[in-house]
Amino acid sequence: MEQHSPNTPAPGAIPPRSLPVERVRWTPERQRLFLTSLLATGNVTQAARAAGMSPASAHRLRKRLADTPFDRTWARALALHAQSLADPFTDPAARAVTTQSRR
């Protein structure tokens, strides 16, 4: 009689179904964390990783949410970060709040 290891199914046995893998999604909190990090770093890869996501998924999200507040905030965060590099004595977060309150 042939013996099987505990990890090898017997011939003709139906293998057990694997559990579905839960996908990580872009929650509103992850989006906020991403945008905050993007403003601070100006780097999509670092910001995506700070939010626990991949840079590719961040770009897919932006494409899917084109012309939405998320897309506009992304562009604004990069612009403010670039501006802060030109003027290192200005806090980009304070500038973002001032800009939004003028609208």
Side-chain angles (χ1 to χ4, degrees):
M1 189 160 154
E2 194 176 319
Q3 289 189 351
H4 298 281
S5 70
N7 295 333
T8 306
I14 299 173
R17 282 192 169 185
S18 59
L19 296 174
V21 176
E22 187 173 327
R23 292 177 50 175
V24 178
R25 303 225 182 250
W26 278 99
T27 63
E29 181 57 33
R30 284 183 193 273
Q31 291 177 30
R32 281 189 291 277
L33 182 58
F34 170 81
L35 292 170
T36 301
S37 182
L38 187 62
L39 175 62
T41 66
N43 185 301
V44 173
T45 299
Q46 288 179 9
R49 290 188 178 141
M53 303 300 284
S54 72
S57 71
H59 285 288
R60 283 192 304 270
L61 178 67
R62 185 179 190 193
K63 185 176 180 179
R64 191 170 69 243
L65 298 179
D67 297 322
T68 66
F70 178 82
D71 180 39
R72 290 188 292 273
T73 304
W74 178 316
R76 186 74 178 136
L78 289 177
L80 288 171
H81 181 77
Q83 194 172 12
S84 73
L85 294 176
D87 183 6
F89 300 107
T90 304
D91 179 17
R95 190 180 303 120
V97 171
T98 304
T99 304
Q100 288 186 358
S101 64
R102 290 182 191 163
R103 291 182 185 181

